[in-house]
Amino acid sequence: MLICNMGNQREYIPTGGFSQYLYKDVSETFELNGIKAKIVKSIDVAAGEHDRLPTYSDTSDMYFKLGNDGTAIQAKLYIGRVMALDFDWGHNHKNKGDGKTFPKGTVHVQKYVKDKNGKFSRLSDNAQLMTDSEIAKYGKIILHFNPNVIFK
């Protein structure tokens, strides 16, 4: 199923949809605990550029990104169509401030914040393991797209 879907900030229409669609679905929608999730891919990634998940969602609450091996390596949760949390397990991660480390395969969570100018930042230096409530709500969804992840 290859349906164009979602976009980024300049294409975002707050009342719904996008002026231009920059991503396509590469999986069916999976729904659990009231969360709709699917794997997406950028329609046109320039040579040498990193394929990123969108800033804004359209009809799903969670989007997943595939790694080179064809398994999901990252997910973003959207609240009110805006990215809120990043779940990542596709690489080794180390917080610069407190030195916490997360080996590849272990899900670490990072929050997104939006400044007064509308620019988003991911709080990469404050990554944490998933909380018990996050595992209860999103764990089975993440496992659906990658059954090999570790939560704690």
Side-chain angles (χ1 to χ4, degrees):
M1 178 169 149
L2 299 177
I3 299 171
C4 294
N5 209 341
M6 51 263 134
N8 282 319
Q9 192 162 348
R10 70 175 176 267
E11 291 84 16
Y12 175 73
I13 299 171
T15 56
F18 298 89
S19 62
Q20 179 182 11
Y21 288 85
L22 304 174
Y23 293 82
K24 62 185 175 184
D25 300 344
V26 293
S27 77
E28 296 291 328
T29 300
F30 175 77
E31 187 170 354
L32 184 67
N33 297 329
I35 305 292
K36 293 179 184 177
K38 62 182 147 191
I39 299 170
V40 298
K41 182 169 179 49
S42 178
I43 292 171
D44 186 27
V45 176
E49 280 190 24
H50 182 65
D51 190 12
R52 303 179 197 287
L53 288 169
T55 303
Y56 296 94
S57 69
D58 194 9
T59 58
S60 290
D61 306 296
M62 198 172 210
Y63 292 136
F64 285 78
K65 174 184 163 182
L66 292 177
N68 293 333
D69 66 356
T71 62
I73 60 168
Q74 180 186 10
K76 274 190 189 177
L77 176 70
Y78 300 81
I79 297 175
R81 297 184 59 209
V82 177
M83 62 183 179
L85 292 177
D86 180 81
F87 299 89
D88 203 346
W89 57 90
H91 64 274
N92 294 322
H93 179 86
K94 182 176 182 179
N95 289 345
K96 290 179 183 172
D98 63 13
K100 285 184 186 175
T101 59
F102 307 89
K104 182 176 181 178
T106 300
V107 180
H108 57 279
V109 182
Q110 301 162 93
K111 294 179 183 178
Y112 285 96
V113 295
K114 191 174 181 181
D115 69 19
K116 63 182 178 181
N117 298 317
K119 184 178 177 186
F120 286 94
S121 295
R122 183 174 59 193
L123 302 179
S124 294
D125 289 339
N126 294 319
Q128 299 290 324
L129 290 171
M130 290 178 73
T131 64
D132 290 341
S133 63
E134 288 169 338
I135 293 169
K137 188 162 187 175
Y138 310 113
K140 288 184 181 177
I141 298 168
I142 293 171
L143 288 169
H144 174 80
F145 291 101
N146 187 328
N148 300 313
V149 299
I150 300 165
F151 295 122
K152 291 191 178 198

